[in-house]
Amino acid sequence: MSDKTQQPTNKQTIRITGMHCASCAVTIEESLKKVKGVSKAVVNFATEKAYVEYDLSKTSTKDLEKAIQKAGYDVLKEEIPGQLQLLQLKVIGMDNPHCLGTVDAALKTVKGIVSKELFVNERAKIVFDPAITNADTIKKTITEAGYTPIEESAPIDREAEAREKEIRTLRVKFFLSLAFAVPLTYFAMGHHIGLPIPNLIEHNMALVQFLLTTPIMVAGYQFFTLGIKAVIRSMAATMDTLVALGTGTAYVYSLAISALIWTGNPNYSMGNLYYEVAALLILFILLGRMLEAVTKGRTSQSIRRLLGLQAKTATVIRDSQEQQIPAELVQVGDIIIVKPGEKIPVDGLLIEGHSSVDESMLTGESIPVEKTLGDEVIGATMNKTGSFKFKATKVGKDTVLAQIVRLVEEAQGSKAPIQRIADRISAYFVPTVLGIGIVAFLVWYFQGLGLSFALTVFIAVIIIACPCALGLATPTAIIVGTGLGAERGILIKSAETLERVHETDTVVFDKTGTLTEGKPRVTDVLSFNGDAAILLKLAAIAEKRSEHPLGEAIINEAKSKDIPVPDAESFEAIPGKGIIAKYDGSNILLGNRKLIADKGLKGLQSLELEIGKLEEQGKTVVILVVDGEFKGIIAVADTVKEFASEAVHRLRERGREVIMITGDNRKSAQAIASQLGINRVLAEVLPQDKAREIKALQGKGKKVAMVGDGINDAPALVQADVGIAIGSGTDVAIESGDIVLVKEDLRDVVTAIELSSYTMSKIKQNLFWAFFYNSLGIPIAAGILYPFTGFLLNPIIAGAAMALSSVSVATNSLLMRRYKPQIDGFKQRRLKSRIE
């Protein structure tokens, strides 16, 4: 059963300071769970927050804070002085738990930082006291730690420029190293395959290798500075520490041997040198980092593509004149002119003109949407044909696009439950590898195989290990998965939701406004004299002054058929029965059976068969009588949404049980359900009881996804294992839903489940290969095969494998960009059939 079913009395978010690794989160969680009354405690290392659910009658916030402090950590109060400032950064390169720890350790040295939240999707939120430090000092500290900080307010092209700069720097270092590594490899290994070596080089081999290797070591200086800083600042070894230790050992050992050779010691020769090992390791790792940087830059393309769609300028009317200004300077209330082919700069309401607008960047739907007076227009969408004016209602961070980006980035920075496995292993990984390397060194050395053999094993072990692959396995897939969802108008609010939605086996749909349009419309017009237009006209005349939803449906139907609707000469509404009106000298009755019976009219029995058929379909029937003569009947119903039936069919194909829940009477509900192919209906359920019905399903072991409009269905959405809220296209930040569907296409429920399943399969693939690689590679590097086969892993091969392991994991996630949900094929076929 989902944790949501426990319904704790209170939920509390507590900000924590002092965490420096994933194991800290585990320690705090265990401490909180021991507090009486706590039903759930989740600690996110990336956000440095504890999410606690507890019984107010058994414990308090103070007790929770004491538990955290008892575990050795501090609590940061939410009430912070007003003079503190928030710095939001994009930190290029901070994309895994090890990097988070490195940046965190560096920031701990800066006095004046009150709190910090670091995310694996390269985001940082830092609260600081401007009286003690400033933004420049904080950014400088991050830069010195080896990362590139960019303020969130910076234009998207600056972020892209910083990413490109990182790639260019790595590319220069790689090719510079390659220029020295090629001759070094030739001179160091050429004689093994009979290649000629000049005598001058042969007689000065130690010096030549030293001169060719040293520039490569300088090119990789960052591994040494970052690796040493990590140990000094946080007493924790990182991947850079392993690289620095492995290559540094090979280089220093070779330098020592070179000194002995130069001094004429006869016990040492060229065969004892490891210069090429150190150099080629640096070369391969630089190549891996370069490829990894390129790959990581592509994982979040969807967000950058969305941001890149923002209009750069806007044409506003100020002081009765048209002015072209930067889009970020538009203010709420400005009147903006948009011409054909221009992007809409901000959100607003159309006040003059009309056009069709391409909203595919928001909804993924390629068909342009017609916009007329009073319609909402959305910033960054593309105007197609007409010109219009609109009034700005939302600018800056309040626009739909900004909300979408914020939701997706928060999801990309969150932690999926499956990631906890990798976090725990990563926390102990580097110290364990160092321990294995040292033990392997000692074992082989004391077996009498010599220092050179033992050193080769030690270097191979610490180089082949790759915690980066573990760190990248989950975040990269989450980033791509949530980005793919955003491109299709499916906003997944957290990594946990993305993991959980594919596990659901039951999908509960609210009826009104979700499966149906929520607005009644005329479905049948049966005229006894054959003139349906006259029947509809008379009914609309009678209903013109009515405020009843059925009357509105009849009037809208008449208008859609261009039928004129003049005013009635007199009008009287009979509550619960119908309307009496007079037009052009004729008396009109329009209502149900009760109205007909009250007026003593005969002949209703002859209509019962036809009326009964319509009512069995869940339709409401009104009868039109003119001057005592039955003229016809009109049926009104809340019609099902387009694609609702297809969505239900696809869900059932995927083994999900589909249930409809509604407050309507069972007969009407069953009629709608039969149209959609839904076998189970929960009817006559009050809004406040919907959550109870969801809980009852969960009590039977069901994993429930609830689909509703996010307003009346809020309690049920929260109770469900996954709440899926139908957005209006502009209201994207619906609080009650774990997933928000921007457009009202119920097939996106199917796509969300497909995307979740696909993303989880990628995460599992990544974790499998990361675990498999290390489980297989480390023992081989330690020499486990040597006694049986005589095979000893060359450190150079180990370095190449390590560098490529991270790239392979990130690339596997990047391949998700090619993913096309199966439902897309159905959409394309439906569009083709429409055109034909």
Side-chain angles (χ1 to χ4, degrees):
M1 187 186 300
S2 169
D3 288 327
K4 289 187 178 184
T5 65
Q6 298 174 16
Q7 289 186 308
T9 308
N10 194 41
K11 296 181 181 181
Q12 184 77 25
T13 300
I14 304 173
R15 302 178 70 180
I16 302 170
T17 60
M19 289 197 295
H20 60 272
C21 64
S23 61
C24 298
V26 178
T27 302
I28 298 170
E29 280 182 8
E30 292 174 351
S31 181
L32 285 169
K33 287 175 181 177
K34 292 178 182 177
V35 178
K36 188 177 180 180
V38 172
S39 58
K40 181 179 180 182
V42 178
V43 179
N44 190 318
F45 166 59
T47 60
E48 289 188 312
K49 288 182 180 179
Y51 304 89
V52 189
E53 297 180 2
Y54 61 96
D55 188 338
L56 275 171
S57 65
K58 297 179 180 179
T59 191
S60 65
T61 302
K62 191 173 182 180
D63 295 326
L64 301 177
E65 293 175 352
K66 283 182 179 178
I68 294 170
Q69 291 164 347
K70 185 178 178 180
Y73 303 88
D74 296 321
V75 174
L76 180 65
K77 303 291 186 181
E78 291 296 332
E79 299 79 26
I80 56 177
Q83 69 269 21
L84 298 182
Q85 293 184 10
L86 172 65
L87 177 64
Q88 299 191 74
L89 298 172
K90 169 82 172 179
V91 183
I92 302 296
M94 187 181 70
D95 53 20
N96 60 68
H98 288 286
C99 294
L100 287 180
T102 302
V103 175
D104 181 74
L107 291 174
K108 285 178 180 177
T109 65
V110 181
K111 293 182 179 179
I113 292 181
V114 178
S115 69
K116 55 188 177 298
E117 294 179 69
L118 307 179
F119 303 89
V120 291
N121 62 330
E122 302 182 316
R123 254 65 190 181
K125 295 181 179 179
I126 302 167
V127 177
F128 66 93
D129 188 334
I132 301 175
T133 188
N134 55 52
D136 289 337
T137 299
I138 294 171
K139 288 189 286 185
K140 183 180 179 183
T141 301
I142 294 174
T143 301
E144 289 175 349
Y147 302 87
T148 305
I150 301 172
E151 288 198 46
E152 286 284 6
S153 58
I156 188 65
D157 54 352
R158 279 189 55 196
E159 179 181 321
E161 183 182 337
R163 176 72 72 185
E164 284 300 318
K165 183 180 179 182
E166 178 194 20
I167 295 171
R168 282 197 305 269
T169 300
L170 287 168
R171 187 180 291 122
V172 168
K173 288 183 177 181
F174 169 72
F175 284 109
L176 178 65
S177 299
L178 182 64
F180 286 96
V182 170
L184 172 65
T185 304
Y186 182 91
F187 297 142
M189 301 180 180
H191 61 280
H192 292 299
I193 55 176
L195 294 176
I197 306 293
N199 289 333
L200 179 63
I201 300 295
E202 188 74 42
H203 294 140
N204 296 280
M205 185 63 76
L207 178 61
V208 170
Q209 290 191 28
F210 167 73
L211 293 175
L212 289 172
T213 301
T214 301
I216 299 175
M217 301 299 289
V218 172
Y221 77 92
Q222 195 174 27
F223 301 126
F224 298 91
T225 56
L226 295 179
I228 294 169
K229 282 180 180 179
V231 174
I232 294 174
R233 288 181 172 177
S234 59
M235 295 302 294
T238 66
M239 190 62 216
D240 290 315
T241 308
L242 292 182
V243 174
L245 187 58
T247 58
T249 299
Y251 181 77
V252 172
Y253 175 79
S254 299
L255 187 59
I257 297 299
S258 297
L260 292 173
I261 292 174
W262 294 333
T263 56
N265 191 316
N267 297 320
Y268 297 94
S269 65
M270 298 301 116
N272 299 115
L273 297 179
Y274 279 87
Y275 281 122
E276 78 281 3
V277 171
L280 292 178
L281 283 175
I282 293 289
L283 178 73
F284 283 127
I285 294 168
L286 283 172
L287 174 61
R289 293 286 171 93
M290 181 179 71
L291 296 175
E292 188 179 312
V294 172
T295 306
K296 288 185 301 186
R298 291 175 181 169
T299 57
S300 56
Q301 275 184 346
S302 56
I303 293 298
R304 291 203 301 277
R305 186 156 53 242
L306 285 175
L307 289 172
L309 290 173
Q310 291 174 314
K312 301 295 187 294
T313 61
T315 303
V316 301
I317 299 176
R318 290 181 179 172
D319 300 326
S320 301
Q321 303 218 349
E322 291 185 16
Q323 300 180 23
Q324 193 168 79
I325 63 173
E328 58 266 25
L329 297 182
V330 174
Q331 300 176 8
V332 173
D334 275 341
I335 304 302
I336 302 165
I337 299 173
V338 183
K339 298 175 183 177
E342 291 184 344
K343 288 181 181 177
I344 299 170
V346 296
D347 299 356
L349 293 176
L350 195 147
I351 60 173
E352 182 182 315
H354 61 87
S355 183
S356 60
V357 176
D358 180 357
E359 295 184 345
S360 58
M361 55 71 60
L362 174 71
T363 65
E365 186 62 61
S366 58
I367 301 174
V369 180
E370 294 299 318
K371 299 291 183 180
T372 58
L373 194 66
D375 286 343
E376 292 176 304
V377 291
I378 302 168
T381 56
M382 178 69 74
N383 182 31
K384 301 294 286 185
T385 54
S387 297
F388 61 88
K389 293 179 182 178
F390 75 96
K391 184 177 182 179
T393 56
K394 293 180 181 178
V395 300
K397 62 182 177 60
D398 296 323
T399 63
V400 169
L401 181 63
Q403 291 181 60
I404 290 175
V405 170
R406 184 162 59 250
L407 282 174
V408 175
E409 286 184 343
E410 286 175 1
Q412 292 177 347
S414 62
K415 181 168 65 174
I418 196 172
Q419 189 176 339
R420 292 173 185 167
I421 300 172
D423 285 350
R424 292 188 183 188
I425 292 176
S426 295
Y428 299 103
F429 187 87
V430 174
T432 301
V433 169
L434 285 173
I436 293 172
I438 291 170
V439 170
F441 173 86
L442 294 174
V443 167
W444 291 115
Y445 181 76
F446 287 110
Q447 285 291 320
L449 292 173
L451 178 62
S452 179
F453 186 96
L455 192 63
T456 298
V457 171
F458 174 75
I459 295 172
V461 168
I462 63 176
I463 288 299
I464 200 170
C466 189
C468 291
L470 288 172
L472 290 170
T474 300
T476 52
I478 292 293
I479 288 171
V480 177
T482 51
L484 285 172
E487 288 179 351
R488 289 164 171 78
I490 303 169
L491 306 181
I492 302 168
K493 290 188 175 181
S494 70
E496 183 178 358
T497 297
L498 185 61
E499 177 176 339
R500 198 170 57 230
V501 66
H502 84 286
E503 298 173 348
T504 57
D505 52 30
T506 304
V507 181
V508 179
F509 286 94
D510 174 56
K511 182 181 83 71
T512 306
T514 302
L515 287 171
T516 66
E517 295 291 349
K519 294 181 179 180
R521 73 175 183 86
V522 173
T523 58
D524 302 87
V525 179
L526 301 179
S527 175
F528 300 148
N529 61 10
D531 196 338
I534 292 177
L535 177 67
L536 192 58
K537 177 179 180 178
L538 292 172
I541 290 171
E543 292 282 9
K544 188 170 183 181
R545 291 165 60 185
S546 169
E547 296 180 354
H548 195 280
L550 294 180
E552 183 181 356
I554 291 171
I555 293 169
N556 288 338
E557 180 70 9
K559 288 181 178 178
S560 70
K561 296 183 180 301
D562 295 325
I563 297 173
V565 184
D567 291 332
E569 294 162 9
S570 65
F571 168 88
E572 180 186 359
I574 313 297
K577 298 178 181 179
I579 291 169
I580 300 174
K582 191 169 186 178
Y583 171 71
D584 196 21
S586 298
N587 294 313
I588 302 173
L589 294 180
L590 182 69
N592 55 24
R593 291 183 181 87
K594 291 180 182 179
L595 181 63
I596 302 301
D598 286 351
K599 297 302 177 182
L601 297 174
K602 305 297 182 182
L604 186 60
Q605 293 82 0
S606 63
L607 305 178
E608 282 295 345
L609 181 62
E610 202 67 48
I611 293 174
K613 287 180 181 178
L614 293 170
E615 287 181 339
E616 284 176 5
Q617 298 172 27
K619 298 174 182 179
T620 300
V621 178
V622 291
I623 306 156
L624 181 70
V625 180
V626 179
D627 292 332
E629 182 183 353
F630 289 98
K631 293 295 184 181
I633 56 178
I634 297 175
V636 178
D638 184 5
T639 55
V640 299
K641 284 185 177 177
E642 187 180 19
F643 309 129
S645 179
E646 185 178 323
V648 170
H649 176 66
R650 300 299 168 197
L651 286 169
R652 293 182 62 183
E653 273 189 339
R654 287 158 179 74
R656 267 70 178 184
E657 180 183 7
V658 181
I659 300 173
M660 186 175 78
I661 191 168
T662 179
D664 286 357
N665 64 76
R666 180 163 296 279
K667 190 174 183 180
S668 297
Q670 196 63 56
I672 294 293
S674 62
Q675 291 181 48
L676 297 171
I678 297 175
N679 298 325
R680 186 174 178 186
V681 177
L682 302 175
E684 300 175 17
V685 181
L686 297 175
Q688 60 268 29
D689 294 330
K690 289 181 180 179
R692 189 187 66 222
E693 294 288 349
I694 299 296
K695 188 175 182 180
L697 291 169
Q698 292 171 324
K700 296 176 182 177
K702 302 285 188 181
K703 300 276 188 184
V704 182
M706 170 70 192
V707 187
D709 61 16
I711 304 170
N712 297 329
D713 305 314
L717 289 171
V718 172
Q719 176 63 44
D721 296 275
V722 177
I724 303 177
I726 305 293
S728 64
T730 56
D731 183 16
V732 300
I734 299 175
E735 291 296 329
S736 51
D738 300 305
I739 297 174
V740 176
L741 306 182
V742 176
K743 58 184 186 293
E744 298 185 16
D745 187 338
L746 293 179
R747 293 176 300 177
D748 286 342
V749 175
V750 186
T751 302
I753 293 173
E754 284 183 5
L755 186 59
S756 168
S757 180
Y758 181 67
T759 302
M760 289 310 302
S761 69
K762 281 293 183 180
I763 290 174
K764 289 173 182 177
Q765 288 172 21
N766 288 346
L767 288 174
F768 170 79
W769 287 113
F771 285 129
F772 178 79
Y773 165 81
N774 284 294
S775 299
L776 184 66
I778 292 174
I780 292 176
I784 195 171
L785 298 179
Y786 185 77
F788 309 102
T789 64
F791 175 78
L792 186 66
L793 186 67
N794 189 308
I796 296 172
I797 304 301
M802 184 278 291
L804 293 176
S805 64
S806 294
V807 177
S808 64
V809 166
T811 301
N812 190 41
S813 295
L814 188 60
L815 290 174
M816 293 172 64
R817 299 286 316 159
R818 300 179 181 178
Y819 173 67
K820 299 291 182 186
Q822 293 182 24
I823 207 72
D824 280 1
F826 298 120
K827 290 180 181 179
Q828 289 171 5
R829 287 198 292 272
R830 181 65 65 92
L831 176 61
K832 183 178 179 182
S833 66
R834 281 184 185 177
I835 295 172
E836 293 174 348

